[in-house]
């Protein structure tokens, strides 16, 4: 009579390996579901970045004497824009610096404020500097501006933070950075500018 084959002990998978495999499967499934939810939410809500833009500016008053001392008064209209149809936006930590060549003139700040869904809000700044003694190089540039181009070059730099809720997906936060040049006529004409912030 032939001998029956002797079967060896069957190897059993370690329960720890099974637990690890189940956990990995659950994590992978959760990531896939979260991705689908986020993508679907994006398609439904279509979020757009809120922004700040310089809408208009004007050199209201300019004083400049032979000793190179300058004083100015400017009006600057900044618009906060929220083009999201389904979410209001909050702007905070808004700090802008107005300057003339290498001279800082004033800081433009704003307390935290909200802008409704698909709405705008205007920030109107009237900036008046104290007398500024200009160094020789800037005196020369100022004299050229007054005698030839009749235009004065100012800059507006700074940043703001924005936050808005994207439905059930939570809140989104971004830094907004502004770097604008304002070329203003000395006759007080209003310049319509569309310089706006960039997000990071």
């Amino acid at each position: 009579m032939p001998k029956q084959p002797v079967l060896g002990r069957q190897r059993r998978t370690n329960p720890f390996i099974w637990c690890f495999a189940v956990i990995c499967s659950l994590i992978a499934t959760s990531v896939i579901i979260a991705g689908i939810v986020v993508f679907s939410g994006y398609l439904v809500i279509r979020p757009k970045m809120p922004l700040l833009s310089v809408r208009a500016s004007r050199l209201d008053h300019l004083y400049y004497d032979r000793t190179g001392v300058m004083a100015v008064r400017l009006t600057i209209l900044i618009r906060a824009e929220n083009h999201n149809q389904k979410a209001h936006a909050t702007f905070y930590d808004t700090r802008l610096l107005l300057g003339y060549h290498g001279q800082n003139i004033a800081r433009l700040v704003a307390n935290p404020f909200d802008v409704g869904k698909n709405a705008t809000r205007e920030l109107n700044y009237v900036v008046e500097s104290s007398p500024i003694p200009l160094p020789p190089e800037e005196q020369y540039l100022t004299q050229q501006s007054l005698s030839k181009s009749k235009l004065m070059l100012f800059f507006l730099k700074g940043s703001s933070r924005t936050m808005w809720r994207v439905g059930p997906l939570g809140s989104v936060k971004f830094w907004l950075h502004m770097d604008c040049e304002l070329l203003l006529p000395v006759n007080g004409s209003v310049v319509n500018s569309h310089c706006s912030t960039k997000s990071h």
Side-chain angles (χ1 to χ4, degrees), residues 35-105:
I36 293 171
V37 170
V38 170
F39 184 68
S40 302
Y42 178 83
L43 291 179
V44 171
I45 299 171
R46 295 186 179 275
K48 296 180 181 178
M49 183 69 64
L51 56 88
L52 295 174
S53 61
V54 179
R55 304 304 295 176
S57 52
R58 181 180 67 222
L59 179 58
D60 297 318
H61 175 73
L62 169 66
Y63 169 82
Y64 181 74
D65 65 19
R66 293 182 179 182
T67 64
V69 174
M70 184 183 78
V72 293
R73 185 175 68 244
L74 293 89
T75 298
I76 300 173
L77 180 64
I78 295 176
R79 181 178 294 169
E81 304 178 32
N82 176 25
H83 298 291
N84 288 293
Q85 300 283 346
K86 300 183 179 181
H88 81 277
T90 299
F91 291 80
Y92 60 103
D93 287 345
T94 303
R95 295 182 178 90
L96 305 174
L97 181 65
L98 176 68
Y100 173 74
H101 292 291
Q103 302 293 320
N104 294 333
I105 294 176

Side-chain angles (χ1 to χ4, degrees), residues 27 66 88 92 102 105 129 144 150 152 176-177 179 194:
I27 292 174
R66 293 182 179 182
H88 81 277
Y92 60 103
I105 294 176
S129 75
Q144 292 295 306
K150 306 295 184 183
M152 302 284 284
L176 304 177
H177 295 278
D179 189 355
H194 296 282

Side-chain angles (χ1 to χ4, degrees), residues 99-198:
Y100 173 74
H101 292 291
Q103 302 293 320
N104 294 333
I105 294 176
R107 292 187 183 277
L108 283 59
V109 298
N111 293 324
F113 61 92
D114 291 339
V115 179
K117 303 172 185 178
N118 199 30
T120 62
R121 179 171 175 173
E122 294 186 341
L123 306 174
N124 191 29
Y125 294 95
V126 177
V127 181
E128 189 162 1
S129 75
S130 55
I132 305 169
L134 300 178
E137 183 179 348
E138 290 171 17
Q139 289 182 34
Y140 173 77
L141 293 173
T142 302
Q143 290 163 4
Q144 292 295 306
S145 297
L146 294 174
S147 62
K148 294 184 178 179
S149 67
K150 306 295 184 183
L151 297 169
M152 302 284 284
L153 180 62
F154 298 88
F155 67 80
L156 188 62
K157 296 182 179 181
S159 63
S160 179
R161 297 198 72 182
T162 183
M163 175 180 68
W164 73 102
R165 289 195 63 83
V166 184
L169 307 181
S171 60
V172 181
K173 297 179 181 180
F174 277 94
W175 278 101
L176 304 177
H177 295 278
M178 179 172 283
D179 189 355
C180 297
E181 290 187 347
L182 307 176
L183 196 59
L184 305 180
V186 297
N187 64 5
S189 299
V190 175
V191 174
N192 296 318
S193 173
H194 296 282
C195 177
S196 61
T197 53
K198 296 180 180 179

